[in-house]
Amino acid sequence: MPDQSASDGSETSPAPPEGAAFRIVDLVLDEHTVVRRSPDVEHERKVAIFDLLEENVFAPVGSDGGPYLLHLAIEDNRLVFDIRLESAEPHGKVLLSLTPFRRIVKDYFMICESYYDAIKTAAPAQIEAIDMGRRGLHNEGSELLKERLAGKIDMDFDTARRLFTLICVLHIKG
């Protein structure tokens, strides 16, 4: 796919393909290590999956299209994107080292904990400041995910944000 140029003549990244063929229609999280999650985390997981399935752009490089079933897991310090066609036929796997995500996931967990504590007792301005930091870390994790998947899976930023949330959920061990 050739690079697209912006109207001002500067180069931009090619846009991921859109449409029904390049989207996730079902998602399974491998949660065999999860014993129990807080209600806040469970809510975030449900919202992320719902929003992801409602609207996403997911295009494995070289694929003729889906739609796709995505099995997301962590195995041996690797994030596993097990991509299947809607018929459940295997379509490919993408493995990513989790090492580049360690710091950001740890920081994200800490700020989320501060946020959930703050919403119980803190002033609105303090809650807003913590929430801005939380969103900033979430965006950073989403950009890192897009960067690490470059050349393997194209996706839009909203899809990366929702997948980053689910990656964080997979990190929670009971």
Side-chain angles (χ1 to χ4, degrees):
M1 183 173 189
D3 282 350
Q4 298 173 347
S5 295
S7 59
D8 64 3
S10 64
E11 292 290 320
T12 60
S13 298
E18 293 188 29
F22 291 100
R23 63 184 317 269
I24 299 166
V25 293
D26 197 12
L27 181 125
V28 175
L29 290 181
D30 178 9
E31 302 179 273
H32 69 273
T33 60
V34 174
V35 175
R36 193 179 75 120
R37 285 189 281 258
S38 73
D40 292 326
V41 171
E42 185 61 20
H43 175 74
E44 293 292 326
R45 180 193 70 81
K46 286 180 180 178
V47 168
I49 291 173
F50 178 83
D51 289 348
L52 179 73
L53 296 179
E54 282 293 305
E55 184 177 338
N56 67 80
V57 176
F58 186 87
V61 172
S63 174
D64 291 334
Y68 305 103
L69 307 177
L70 178 62
H71 291 239
L72 198 57
I74 294 178
E75 296 174 6
D76 301 323
N77 198 38
R78 287 189 189 96
L79 182 61
V80 179
F81 288 79
D82 181 357
I83 305 162
R84 302 172 188 195
L85 296 175
E86 198 170 20
S87 65
E89 178 186 338
H91 193 60
K93 282 188 181 184
V94 174
L95 307 174
L96 291 182
S97 171
L98 285 171
T99 302
F101 293 94
R102 277 192 193 136
R103 180 200 55 83
I104 196 160
V105 169
K106 180 182 173 201
D107 291 350
Y108 185 69
F109 282 157
M110 286 190 335
I111 202 161
C112 282
E113 189 174 315
S114 296
Y115 175 77
Y116 292 127
D117 288 343
I119 59 175
K120 297 172 188 167
T121 59
Q126 187 179 9
I127 294 168
E128 187 176 324
I130 294 169
D131 191 44
M132 286 177 59
R134 181 176 73 130
R135 288 176 192 219
L137 275 173
H138 199 274
N139 287 345
E140 187 180 334
S142 304
E143 287 293 346
L144 178 61
L145 180 61
K146 280 189 62 137
E147 182 182 300
R148 300 284 297 148
L149 287 171
K152 299 173 181 105
I153 302 172
D154 291 329
M155 64 183 66
D156 65 348
F157 185 70
D158 288 338
T159 300
R161 280 185 57 81
R162 293 166 185 140
L163 287 172
F164 180 74
T165 299
L166 297 173
I167 291 166
C168 290
V169 167
L170 286 173
H171 272 85
I172 299 171
K173 304 290 185 232

